[in-house]
Amino acid sequence: MTISFDKAFGIHQHALVARSERAELLAGNLANADTPGYKAKDMDFQSALSQAQTNQGFSLSRTSQQHFAVELSPPGTVQFRVPNQPDTGDGNTVDVQTERNNYMENALQYQASLEFLNGKISGLLKAIKGDSM
């Protein structure tokens, strides 16, 4: 009997990749906070996760016509962030506080996915070794 790691780890392995890519984008935004003309970028994590779910062979479906239909951009697409402050004159759209908050939130969610994976791996090791708690 073989173990399918894709089924065992679920979506968490894909979530780590998407979170890592988003962390790079957010860090780039912070690094370019003082660069004239730099436009803040971000990616839609939900669409990247939806793509990962599709690759896993399952997806969320609309079960009622009263549910909202959500149309997102293609998965993993890097998009420019809509600025929430007026232009300061140099064309830079990076808001340092927003970027720091997004980066911290992304880091916490990355850590949560690592914890989920750690739990899955621990469970598999117990099953392989035949350990009983």
Side-chain angles (χ1 to χ4, degrees):
M1 183 168 161
T2 61
I3 297 173
S4 170
F5 289 113
D6 285 335
K7 289 183 182 177
F9 295 152
I11 199 72
H12 301 294
Q13 61 186 338
H14 302 292
L16 283 178
V17 172
R19 292 277 175 218
S20 177
E21 291 174 4
R22 185 165 187 237
E24 287 181 28
L25 285 172
L26 296 173
N29 289 346
L30 285 168
N32 289 294
D34 294 326
T35 304
Y38 184 82
K39 306 296 182 204
K41 301 174 198 167
D42 203 351
M43 65 182 281
D44 186 0
F45 178 77
Q46 290 300 327
S47 64
L49 191 61
S50 295
Q51 178 65 26
Q53 286 176 332
T54 302
N55 290 342
Q56 285 285 314
F58 67 92
S59 62
L60 301 176
S61 61
R62 216 169 129 194
T63 58
S64 170
Q65 292 298 330
Q66 293 179 340
H67 293 165
F68 290 113
V70 179
E71 298 296 327
L72 300 173
S73 61
T77 302
V78 176
Q79 302 169 348
F80 292 107
R81 179 169 297 137
V82 177
N84 56 1
Q85 63 186 13
D87 188 2
T88 58
D90 64 357
N92 188 311
T93 62
V94 176
D95 179 7
V96 175
Q97 287 80 18
T98 299
E99 298 302 327
R100 284 183 189 154
N101 289 339
N102 288 339
Y103 190 85
M104 183 57 74
E105 179 184 11
N106 190 63
L108 289 171
Q109 291 168 342
Y110 183 89
Q111 184 66 35
S113 289
L114 279 177
E115 293 294 326
F116 282 121
L117 277 176
N118 188 32
K120 295 281 187 174
I121 292 170
S122 295
L124 287 173
L125 283 173
K126 286 179 183 178
I128 290 170
K129 291 180 181 180
D131 290 342
S132 62
M133 296 169 74

